[in-house]
Amino acid sequence: MQSNYFTKTALALGIAVTLAACSDRAPQTSALQERDVTIWPEIGSPVGLNDDIEGRITELMDTMTLEQKIAQMIQPEIRDITVEDMRKYGFGSYLNGGGSFPNNDKYATPQDWIALAEAMYEASMDDSLNGISIPTMWGTDAVHGHNNVIGATIFPHNIGLGAANNPDLIEQIAAVTAREVMVTGIDWVFAPTVAVAKNLRWGRTYESYSENPAIVRDYAAAIVAGLQGPVDGDFLSEQRVVSTVKHFVGDGGTTDGIDQGDAQMDERTLFEEHAQGYVGGLHAGAQTVMATFNSWNGEKIHGHEYLLTDVLKERMGFDGFIVGDWNGHGQIEGCTNYDCPQAANAGLDVYMVPTDAWQPLYYNLIQQVRDGIIPESRVDDAVRRILRVKMRAGLFDKPSPAQRPLAGRTELIGAAEHRAVARDAVRQSLVMLKNEGQLLPLNPQQRILVAGPGAHNIGQQSGGWTISWQGTGNSNEDFPGGTSIYQGIAEQVRAAGGSVELAEDGQFTERPDVAVVVFGEEPYAEGNGDIANLDFQRGNAVDLALLHSLKEQGIPVVSLFISGRPMWVNPEINASDAFVAIWLPGSEGQGIADVILRNADGDVQYDMTGRLPFTWPATPSAEEALLPLGAGLSYGDEAILSTALSTDIEDDMQTEDLVIFDRAVQSPWLLEISSGEQRRIVESSVQSLGAIRTETFDDQVQEDARRFRFSGDERAAFTMVTPFPRDLRAFATDDSAISVTLRVESALPDAVSLQLYCGESCNVQADISAVLGDLPMNEWQTLHFNLSCLQDMGFNLAQVGTALGIATEAQWQVSFNDIRITPHASESAHNICLGH
C-alpha cells in the first residue's frame, strides 16, 4: 500500500514533485533577476505587538549607549569568551556550537551546563563594568533532542520524521526537547531546520523532513508550537524555549547539492519550493529566523537586503530577529569575519561570530555606526527586535537559569516518558522497500543472527549532530539509557523464548534461521556529508559481501539500512529478502524491534507505516527514480520492486576522487596522531598527544582545515588510517596520485617523512623535506604524489592501511585542508615521483 498524501499536498500547492537529482539546471539569467515581493504572503505576527512591552523597550533603549546596543548584536561562542568577557561587554546572546561543551568537557554534566548558564546570566546582569543589566540568551543546536548533552533523549533525524508524516508527533517531540533543554538552563534552540532538500548529494539532506514543501510547512508549524508553546496557550512559558526557523532561504536548493552553494532559481520557485517552512513557522509565532550560508543567484543571503528586509521583515511581517549562521557574514563579498557592515545594513540583527573574530567585529561595528556607514536607525531596529524577543520570553522577569522550575531536574534528561515518545517516532519512521515471501515481521522464537557494523552502534544509528558536531568519536557508553538495534532485538527475542547472536562480521557460532544485517552510512554533518554520487558502497563493498555470504549459505536476510538520505543500493536490495530504510533512528533502537518482530503469540506488534519522504534513486546519478515520493510497504502488501534490480553503473562513476579529508576526515578514514610509542585517534576539534597538537580552524568555511604543531620533543606523526585495509587497485594508473593541499607555516626541519602502511612487512617511507622546501611559506599548495612511483617503492594498493602519514622529530607547523586520491593528476606542476 502506498500513501498518496505526499503527492496530493504538493499538488495542492501547485508544486511539481520531481526527483531530487544530481544534475541541476538553472533557469535563464533574465528570469532569475526578476523580483516581485507580492509572491510572498502577508503573514504578520500572531503574537502581536504589546504596548507595555514596546514601551519598556523604548525606555530601556533611551538609556543605552552605542556600545551597549552593538553588544546585543554580538553572539560569540563559549569556547571563545569568558564570564569576565560577558561582564565587560554584556553580549546579547552566546552559543555552543556542535561538539562544544562547558569546560570543553564532552562529559559535562547537566549541572555543569547550568553552572555556565548561571554564570553568564549573572555576568550579563552585573552592571559594574558595562553600566547596564540586560539578560543574555544561550542558543544551542538541539536539532533531534538535546543532542549535545550526554544521556539526553535522541530522536530520529528529520528525514525519518518526514517518513512518519505525523505533525502531532512532531509537536510532542519538540515539547520533550524543550523540557530537556530547560533542565540545563538554556533559553533558545536553533531549530527547526525547514530546508527542502532537492539534491540527495547534499550532506544536510537528513535535516530535511521531505522534498515535499507541504510536509515541511506543516512540520515547521508543529515544531515551533512544540518548542515555544501555542500562541494562544502556554506561549514561552517556563516549559518552553525560543525557536529558530532556519536557514532562510534556499539551503536545500543549491546547484548540485553543494553545501553553502548557490541556489539558482527564480523567485516563485524559491518561495513555493523552499520557503514553505517559513510560512508554517511564522504562522506559529516563531521568534527568530536564522540566515542561510548559501547564495541566491550569486548573492550571499547574509547580505541580501531584499530577502532579509523587504521580504521577511516587511512583506511577511516578521517582528522577531534574524540571527546569522557561523561566521556566515564573512562570506559576503567585501566582508571578513571581523568586518562586515553589509550584513547589518541588509537586515541581519545578530552576528553569530565564533572564534576570536567577535572582538574586532564589535569595535568595527561601533566605528561604522559613528562613521555613518551603518545608520543608527538600523541598529535601533535590531536591538528593539532582540529586546522584544527577550521580553516576550520573560527573560527580564524570570529568575536566573539555576532558579527556574525545570533547572537541575536531571531526572528529565532521558526520562522514560521522553524515551517512549522517541521509541514511537522510530516505529513510525521505518520505510519497507522489499519483503519477499512476507519474511517480516519475524517470529521471535527463532534463532536470529544480528550482524553488520551498525548492529550494536548507537552512534552510527544516531548520525551527525549527536554529542559531537559530526556525530563521530562516540561509543555506546556515551549514550546512557540508550539502546542499540541489537539490544532492542535481543531483549524481545529472549523474552519470547528465541535465541539471538551478535556477530558483526556474520561469523556465527550456531546456524541461524534468519539474519538481520544492519549497515549504512557513517555519521556526518554539514559540508562533510556532501558526496559526488549516491552509490552507497563506492567501490568498497564490504557490507554487500556480508549479505552475499549469508545468502550463499541459504540464510534469509533482512537488511536494515542506516542512512541520512535515499541512496543507490540496488546490489544490496537484490541480496536481501527484506529491505527496510531505518534512516537515523537515534537512541531508542528498540523501536525497530517493535516493528520487525512479532510478539510471543505470533501477532504483529506494529505495522510498517512509514512512507518515503524523498524519491528513491534508480542510479547513482539519481537521473531516474526507483521508487516515488510516498512509496513504501505495509505488512501483507504486494511487492513494489522487481526481484532483480539493475546493478549497472555509469562509466563516469568509476573514476571519481577518493576523498580522505575535505573539511574533515571522511569515513571510513580516521585521523591518528602519534608521539613516540603513543597513538590516539583524533576525536575532537583540538587534541594533543606528547609532541604533537592538532586543531581545526576556519579557512573558507567553518572548521574546514586542520593545523598540526610538532614540538620537537620526540618523533611525532599524524596519519590518515582506516580500520580495515582498502583495495585501491582501481587507482593503479600512471596518472593517479595522492593529492595533498597543505600550507607550510614555519621553518622546515631537516627531515620530514611521508609514511604509508599497506599490511605486514609493507611500509613505505620517503623523505619529502626537499619537496616541501620548494614551497612558498604560508601559501596553500597542492602536491600530487604519483601512485605508480609509490608502487615501485613497494606500496601495495590492494591493502592500503594508511592514505597519508607525515612524521618529523623536529619543531614544525603545517596545515592541511584537502587530502584525496585522484585518478587524474598528470597535468599538475607539482606531480611528484618519489624514489626516482
Side-chain angles (χ1 to χ4, degrees):
M1 182 177 69
Q2 298 180 26
S3 169
N4 292 320
Y5 173 84
F6 293 76
T7 303
K8 287 179 179 177
T9 49
L11 294 176
L13 280 173
I15 300 166
V17 179
T18 57
L19 176 63
C22 285
S23 178
D24 302 318
R25 182 172 296 175
Q28 295 298 312
T29 303
S30 59
L32 300 182
Q33 308 308 317
E34 296 175 4
R35 292 181 180 176
D36 179 4
V37 76
T38 63
I39 288 171
W40 304 80
E42 294 177 301
I43 295 174
S45 170
V47 181
L49 296 183
N50 179 287
D51 291 341
D52 290 339
I53 287 177
E54 296 305 310
R56 290 175 65 189
I57 294 171
T58 299
E59 289 178 11
L60 180 56
M61 289 182 63
D62 285 346
T63 70
M64 293 176 71
T65 65
L66 175 61
E67 289 80 2
Q68 292 164 348
K69 290 176 181 178
I70 295 298
Q72 289 297 303
M73 300 174 66
I74 298 292
Q75 184 184 85
E77 209 262 353
I78 62 172
R79 288 175 288 191
D80 305 306
I81 58 167
T82 64
V83 172
E84 289 309 306
D85 289 328
M86 179 65 76
R87 197 182 318 279
K88 177 179 178 181
Y89 293 94
F91 304 114
S93 59
Y94 62 102
L95 81 147
N96 66 289
S100 178
F101 318 97
N103 309 315
N104 206 25
D105 179 10
K106 173 180 177 179
Y107 299 101
T109 65
Q111 289 83 358
D112 294 327
W113 289 80
I114 294 167
L116 181 57
E118 182 75 3
M120 288 294 190
Y121 172 88
E122 293 292 354
S124 72
M125 297 298 286
D126 182 349
D127 62 2
S128 62
L129 296 181
N130 75 335
I132 200 165
S133 298
I134 299 177
T136 191
M137 295 173 68
W138 183 346
T140 191
D141 283 291
V143 296
H144 64 139
H146 198 7
N147 45 262
N148 293 290
V149 176
I150 298 288
T153 308
I154 305 299
F155 292 92
H157 266 297
N158 289 358
I159 191 169
L161 300 180
N165 190 25
N166 184 344
D168 291 339
L169 172 67
I170 300 307
E171 187 168 346
Q172 276 186 281
I173 289 170
V176 167
T177 300
R179 284 195 290 275
E180 295 202 12
V181 168
M182 290 296 288
V183 169
T184 56
I186 297 175
D187 319 284
W188 179 15
V189 165
F190 299 143
T193 298
V194 296
V196 178
K198 291 294 185 180
N199 192 306
L200 299 174
R201 294 185 298 177
W202 187 36
R204 303 190 79 159
T205 296
Y206 66 82
E207 296 185 60
S208 176
Y209 296 112
S210 177
E211 70 185 62
N212 182 347
I215 291 175
V216 176
R217 179 198 61 209
D218 295 346
Y219 270 28
I223 198 167
V224 168
L227 290 170
Q228 295 187 165
V231 172
D232 58 356
D234 66 329
F235 183 69
L236 292 176
S237 72
E238 296 286 4
Q239 305 282 326
R240 307 291 186 166
V241 294
V242 174
S243 72
T244 305
V245 187
K246 66 180 187 181
H247 307 83
F248 188 80
V249 60
D251 48 349
T254 61
T255 300
D256 293 330
I258 296 171
D259 191 47
Q260 304 185 20
D262 191 12
Q264 297 175 291
M265 63 190 69
D266 61 53
E267 188 171 3
R268 184 167 295 280
T269 301
L270 183 70
F271 166 66
E272 291 184 345
E273 295 197 4
H274 296 281
Q276 294 304 305
Y278 302 94
V279 174
L282 267 59
H283 271 299
Q287 290 298 288
T288 73
V289 169
M290 185 178 290
T292 184
F293 280 120
N294 62 269
S295 306
W296 179 42
N297 299 327
E299 185 177 351
K300 282 291 181 180
I301 289 176
H302 271 70
H304 209 298
E305 184 176 5
Y306 175 72
L307 287 176
L308 297 184
T309 298
D310 298 353
V311 169
L312 181 57
K313 291 180 174 179
E314 295 180 0
R315 176 67 178 181
M316 299 180 78
F318 174 62
D319 65 6
F321 66 79
I322 301 173
V323 61
D325 207 342
W326 187 281
N327 279 334
H329 57 275
Q331 297 185 23
I332 300 170
E333 185 176 359
C335 285
T336 67
N337 294 347
Y338 310 91
D339 184 2
C340 190
Q342 294 95 315
N345 285 336
L348 191 74
D349 301 309
V350 174
Y351 287 79
M352 185 186 289
V353 55
T355 71
D356 59 0
W358 66 263
Q359 194 168 40
L361 179 68
Y362 167 78
Y363 287 110
N364 282 332
L365 289 171
I366 291 170
Q367 191 60 47
Q368 285 153 359
V369 175
R370 288 177 176 155
D371 292 343
I373 297 170
I374 302 173
E376 192 162 357
S377 60
R378 172 74 272 275
V379 173
D380 286 345
D381 172 63
V383 175
R384 176 170 290 276
R385 290 168 176 274
I386 295 163
L387 296 178
R388 180 182 295 140
V389 171
K390 290 184 177 184
M391 289 189 184
R392 284 174 173 171
L395 297 187
F396 284 84
D397 306 311
K398 290 178 180 178
S400 65
Q403 305 305 316
R404 294 173 189 165
L406 296 185
R409 290 186 55 188
T410 55
E411 71 274 12
L412 294 178
I413 299 290
E417 61 269 28
H418 295 174
R419 293 187 183 278
V421 175
R423 182 172 180 170
D424 187 36
V426 174
R427 295 182 197 120
Q428 296 187 42
S429 70
L430 310 181
V431 181
M432 185 163 62
L433 306 185
K434 182 178 181 179
N435 194 20
E436 284 293 311
Q438 298 298 314
L439 177 61
L440 291 176
L442 299 175
N443 175 358
Q445 297 171 334
Q446 303 179 88
R447 290 190 299 273
I448 299 177
L449 170 68
V450 184
H456 191 42
N457 190 331
I458 305 176
Q460 184 177 358
Q461 74 192 42
S462 296
W465 290 108
T466 306
I467 305 177
S468 65
W469 175 36
Q470 296 292 319
T472 55
N474 298 321
S475 66
N476 284 354
E477 288 68 35
D478 295 329
F479 299 88
T483 308
S484 72
I485 294 167
Y486 159 71
Q487 289 171 318
I489 293 172
E491 179 182 7
Q492 293 192 27
V493 168
R494 288 169 180 154
S499 65
V500 63
E501 179 179 357
L502 174 66
E504 293 182 7
D505 61 1
Q507 300 300 308
F508 50 82
T509 57
E510 183 179 6
R511 180 182 174 84
D513 297 313
V514 64
V516 177
V517 183
V518 190
F519 62 96
E521 290 189 292
E522 295 290 332
Y524 55 81
E526 55 191 289
N528 300 338
D530 289 1
I531 54 177
N533 68 74
L534 298 173
D535 179 4
F536 164 61
Q537 298 284 4
R538 288 194 290 280
N540 184 34
V542 175
D543 302 311
L544 182 59
L546 172 58
L547 299 178
H548 282 154
S549 172
L550 293 167
K551 288 286 285 182
E552 288 166 1
Q553 297 174 72
I555 299 169
V557 173
V558 175
S559 285
L560 303 180
F561 184 54
I562 298 171
S563 74
R565 56 193 142 206
M567 302 195 76
W568 187 75
V569 285
N570 285 13
E572 291 76 17
I573 293 174
N574 286 345
S576 307
D577 296 283
F579 191 96
V580 182
I582 65 172
W583 314 111
L584 300 168
S587 61
E588 307 312 299
Q590 68 271 61
I592 292 167
D594 292 341
V595 181
I596 69 167
L597 297 175
R598 296 178 182 271
N599 64 22
D601 296 327
D603 299 323
V604 174
Q605 299 187 79
Y606 294 90
D607 202 354
M608 288 276 184
T609 59
R611 297 294 181 261
L612 288 180
F614 291 89
T615 306
W616 198 279
T619 64
S621 62
E623 292 178 351
E624 300 175 31
L626 181 68
L627 290 170
L629 177 77
L633 295 170
S634 293
Y635 290 136
D637 285 350
E638 296 182 359
I640 54 176
L641 292 175
S642 70
T643 55
L645 301 175
S646 172
T647 57
D648 293 336
I649 300 179
E650 303 93 324
D651 290 340
D652 62 352
M653 297 296 167
Q654 305 286 354
T655 56
E656 296 174 347
D657 290 358
L658 176 64
V659 180
I660 297 159
F661 184 101
D662 178 16
R663 303 189 185 187
V665 181
Q666 301 297 300
S667 176
W669 303 95
L670 302 168
L671 172 59
E672 178 186 85
I673 53 176
S674 61
S675 181
E677 299 301 316
Q678 304 178 81
R679 297 180 182 275
R680 296 284 188 279
I681 297 298
V682 173
E683 296 181 342
S684 65
S685 56
V686 179
Q687 193 162 327
S688 300
L689 180 68
I692 188 170
R693 174 184 171 88
T694 181
E695 60 191 16
T696 58
F697 65 95
D698 296 1
D699 177 33
Q700 299 299 314
V701 295
Q702 179 183 346
E703 299 187 79
D704 61 338
R706 267 201 179 268
R707 179 171 289 120
F708 298 87
R709 293 187 174 98
F710 298 83
S711 70
D713 294 337
E714 63 180 341
R715 184 175 177 83
F718 69 87
T719 311
M720 300 295 170
V721 302
T722 180
F724 302 101
R726 297 289 306 275
D727 182 354
L728 301 183
R729 285 174 292 185
F731 292 92
T733 67
D734 292 340
D735 296 338
S736 295
I738 301 173
S739 296
V740 182
T741 301
L742 56 81
R743 186 171 69 190
V744 176
E745 298 175 344
S746 70
L748 192 69
D750 292 336
V752 177
S753 295
L754 172 75
Q755 51 189 34
L756 301 167
Y757 175 77
C758 43
E760 294 296 326
S761 303
C762 183
N763 290 282
V764 174
Q765 293 197 36
D767 186 0
I768 58 172
S769 54
V771 172
L772 298 174
D774 292 335
L775 302 181
M777 188 79 72
N778 293 315
E779 292 183 15
W780 290 111
Q781 300 286 321
T782 300
L783 305 179
H784 301 282
F785 296 100
N786 184 276
L787 277 176
S788 180
C789 299
L790 292 172
Q791 284 181 282
D792 291 344
M793 297 176 66
F795 189 41
N796 182 2
L797 290 178
Q799 48 183 10
V800 175
T802 67
L804 178 78
I806 300 291
T808 186
E809 298 179 2
Q811 189 174 16
W812 189 41
Q813 181 170 304
V814 63
S815 292
F816 291 78
N817 68 9
D818 193 278
I819 302 170
R820 64 186 61 219
I821 297 177
T822 179
H824 305 296
S826 60
E827 303 301 322
S828 170
H830 292 300
N831 198 336
I832 299 154
C833 186
L834 296 174
H836 289 258

